[in-house]
Amino acid sequence: MFDKILIANRGEIALRVLRACKELGIATVAVHSTADADAMHVRLADESVCIGPPPARDSYLNIPALMSACEITGADAVHPGYGFLSENARFADILRDHDITFIGPSPEHIRLMGDKIEAKRTAKRLGIPVVPGSDGAVTDDDEAKRVAAEVGYPLLVKASAGGGGRGMKVAMTPDALPQALSTARAEAKAAFGDDALYIERYLEKPRHIEIQIFGDGKGAGVHLGERDCSLQRRHQKVWEEATSPGINAREREEIGTRVAEAVAELGYSGAGTIEFLYERGEFFFIEMNTRLQVEHPVTEMITGIDLVNEQIRVASGGELSVKQSDIVLSGHSIECRINAEDPQTFQPSPGELTYYYPPGGPGVRVDSALYQGYRIPPYYDSLIGKLIVYGKTRNECLMRLRRALSEYVVDGISTTIPLFQRLLGEQDIVDGQYDIHWLERYLADG
Ligand code: MV4
């Protein structure tokens, strides 16, 4: 097992990782920018190192500064959290070259899944259903036209280096294809320095369902059920739940088994998420994420498994604590992302927390690094906490969520708490009847 882990992140996820380390008896190193000197993850860590000025590219994304922090503290492993360097294969390479363990999959698996065309080809080879579309990259407009005619319209042009909604263009009809291709190609070139594109049939009203997986890197693979992340705005998830109210036990078992077999076959190590679009009883692979995700707690709540503890065990060469038959999904969990934003306009709202009172009681978990008097800096993303509730049934979960939101007091800044109170008054939400466009339609209609 590791002696000392450096946590290359900030905010609630740095604290989440720190908690797992403490429970394992592993010493912790926090890193922080000058803007985060007063942050909770710094206060609670055994040691801390300032790694640069506020902009993330100069601090949390600054690989030389992080390597120096490892060197001076003698950390033997790095946990990247999510975002920042969590899916940076070069960072994983450099750590490997310095005999420091990256708590995550191999750089090869990160690289493979970062290339969306290669990821899709791999998924297909492993027997995972994919969205019908081009077989790999489309290199010129004539080829694109031929493929498009077979795939059918509407279709979507995607950037191989994209992901998370970046570099996508819809073409509703053949007339719109040339424009979609040239815009997508120019944007991909500018944003990623890679203009490889591929084509997929456009699914019009799917749900976004992702499956949590784990591999031990030695041929074992398990799944921990799915999360429904359809409620999002501008590709930012807002509300996530496990299990999905949109699929049944047979569908869950079937896709889960398929995915776990693929993970084993791939020799994947650590936590990962396989993302699907789900429409009319069918799953279609879109991407794989090779990191711990923001919404991992809902899976922890319904499985009783500590995902960060498992990541650390596996990265240190241990085995998973569970086999597939030990994993039982029980009850229901919902996560609301609490952002420091105006709940109507979504404008960021940094500033000082003049009063802070988080909810508690049965089935309530708050993952945040907030405390009364803390000043939320303006430099980073606006996620300041996650309210996670658990219930034996979805209905109990909704009742608890309503209750927990009514207790939650955050003064001095605006938060998205009122948005969740509004959502709980909507029949579609109560019924679990929503797709990936539901929230944006709701917000547009006032
Ligand atoms: C799609 C799609 C419809 N059809 N692919 C957006 C994020 C990226 N991970 C994939 N995305 C989509 N891919 C096909 N073939 C619709 C989306 C999409 C979406 C997906 C998940 C959650 C929210 C979304 C919002 C808009 C579009």
Side-chain angles (χ1 to χ4, degrees), residues 264-317:
E265 171 83 27
L266 197 58
Y268 187 83
S269 176
T273 301
I274 321 265
E275 293 189 351
F276 291 91
L277 297 177
Y278 172 87
E279 197 171 70
R280 283 179 244 126
E282 281 188 276
F283 285 92
F284 303 96
F285 170 91
I286 45 171
E287 292 172 19
M288 177 171 183
N289 301 320
T290 55
R291 61 169 189 276
L292 182 74
Q293 297 207 226
V294 175
E295 59 273 23
H296 77 277
V298 294
T299 299
E300 297 188 318
M301 300 302 269
I302 67 159
T303 59
I305 297 168
D306 179 331
L307 296 182
V308 182
N309 177 298
E310 295 295 330
Q311 284 189 294
I312 296 170
R313 291 167 72 94
V314 168
S316 72

Side-chain angles (χ1 to χ4, degrees), residues 5-9 17 77-82 101 103 292 308 311-312:
I5 293 178
L6 182 140
I7 302 162
N9 216 301
V17 173
V78 171
H79 195 301
Y82 52 67
T101 304
I103 301 175
L292 182 74
V308 182
Q311 284 189 294
I312 296 170

